[in-house]
Amino acid sequence: MRKNKYYYKNQYPLVWQKDDFFIKIYSSTPNVATGILLTTKNSTFVIDPGDGILRDLNKDVGTKTIMKISDIFISHGHHDHIGGIWSLLTYLSVLRRKEPLKIYYPKGCIEIESIYKAFTDVYSKELSYKISLIKIDNQKPFVRKSIRIKPFKVNHREPTDDGSSSIAVPSLGYKFFYNNKSICYGGDTAYCDNLLQNAKNSDLAIIEAGAETEESSDLHMTISQAMQIGKLAKKYFLVHLPE
């Protein structure tokens, strides 16, 4: 019978590795920041560059690895998932990066489009590298740097201004496949079949559990809901728990 382990909050960073397939979650706190690094011997990705991602990367892996980042994956546009992207993009330009950078994001995520426009407007005369925004509006897998990436829609919502109901947020999870291993990252989401199917049989599932009560589980998952999905994977981390 296989062992299935999970971890609660206050244990960051969370690290998982199989051979050269490596992922490190520096933080994942609601309304504060999420920041994730994923690497193989041939690839360096950042997932959800929340506030502090440049500081964490610089302290942990240093400039050489930061300059190798080729792809950034955005799950959705809330500030705690993209708040550090401006400083990261600026740092790459200050160091005179030459290689292009790709940023993947869900269709309808106006936040990342606005940041991109403002950033390129400000630095148009001195930007040393090309940034490509890649809008994802389907669940078709693609390959980058020997990793197959399968985006999938999830069910994240946010309250309306008057708090009387909730509205959908353009949001994605991502499943990363490499050398017969897989990592499923659900981003922020309420319980949904898409996440369940993609977490199933993954070597690692990263599952948010941001709902403090059942009443708020249309926005995020409760711990019990997150564990139910996480147990479908060989190992899972519970992240984004309320403080």
Side-chain angles (χ1 to χ4, degrees):
M1 186 173 184
R2 72 185 183 189
K3 292 184 178 180
N4 189 295
K5 297 181 180 180
Y6 63 90
Y7 296 87
Y8 282 100
K9 60 182 177 178
N10 299 326
Q11 296 186 354
Y12 296 110
L14 298 174
V15 175
W16 178 93
Q17 183 169 8
K18 293 291 184 182
D19 300 320
D20 66 319
F21 197 17
F22 172 88
I23 192 165
K24 189 167 192 174
I25 306 168
Y26 293 104
S27 64
S28 184
T29 305
N31 300 318
V32 179
T34 290
I36 303 172
L37 173 69
L38 185 150
T39 66
T40 71
K41 63 182 179 182
N42 298 316
S43 56
T44 306
F45 297 166
V46 166
I47 306 164
D48 280 355
D51 185 52
I53 187 65
L54 177 58
R55 176 202 61 221
D56 291 337
L57 290 171
N58 190 59
K59 181 179 179 181
D60 183 41
V61 297
T63 301
K64 185 176 180 180
T65 297
I66 294 172
M67 292 294 282
K68 290 180 179 178
I69 296 168
S70 61
D71 301 77
I72 296 175
F73 296 87
I74 306 294
S75 67
H76 65 289
H78 284 162
H79 74 276
D80 49 338
H81 291 257
I82 63 171
I85 195 166
W86 186 288
S87 59
L88 180 57
L89 297 180
T90 305
Y91 185 74
L92 294 174
S93 186
V94 168
L95 294 181
R96 309 311 297 167
R97 175 191 177 97
K98 298 301 181 184
E99 296 299 318
L101 178 73
K102 296 180 182 292
I103 302 176
Y104 302 85
Y105 69 104
K107 179 181 179 181
C109 179
I110 60 173
E111 296 92 341
I112 199 67
E113 293 174 347
S114 298
I115 291 172
Y116 169 79
K117 183 180 185 305
F119 182 82
T120 51
D121 284 349
V122 169
Y123 294 107
S124 60
K125 295 182 180 179
E126 57 191 272
L127 191 60
S128 64
Y129 63 101
K130 181 181 179 181
I131 302 170
S132 297
L133 281 191
I134 301 174
K135 184 188 306 181
I136 297 177
D137 61 357
N138 58 52
Q139 300 183 76
K140 184 178 179 180
F142 57 95
V143 176
R144 285 289 295 157
K145 304 291 184 177
S146 302
I147 297 179
R148 185 164 68 93
I149 302 106
K150 179 188 176 185
F152 58 93
K153 293 182 179 180
V154 293
N155 181 27
H156 190 33
R157 305 181 68 82
E158 62 185 8
T160 55
D161 290 341
D162 62 8
S164 62
S165 59
S166 64
I167 56 174
V169 174
S171 50
L172 294 170
Y174 295 96
K175 190 164 183 176
F176 301 90
F177 299 86
Y178 176 75
N179 280 359
N180 299 315
K181 303 293 182 184
S182 62
I183 297 172
C184 176
Y185 172 61
D188 283 7
T189 179
Y191 190 95
C192 66
D193 288 340
N194 249 4
L195 177 57
L196 185 153
Q197 292 301 322
N198 282 281
K200 187 176 181 180
N201 296 322
S202 294
D203 291 277
L204 176 69
I206 302 166
I207 309 295
E208 75 105 306
E212 296 188 68
T213 64
E214 293 288 344
E215 288 71 27
S216 58
S217 64
D218 66 329
L219 309 179
H220 297 275
M221 281 184 287
T222 63
I223 288 177
S224 61
Q225 288 175 326
M227 289 178 66
Q228 182 180 346
I229 291 181
K231 288 177 180 177
L232 298 172
K234 297 175 184 177
K235 184 174 182 178
Y236 66 100
F237 293 147
L238 295 188
V239 299
H240 224 54
L241 282 83
E243 290 189 305

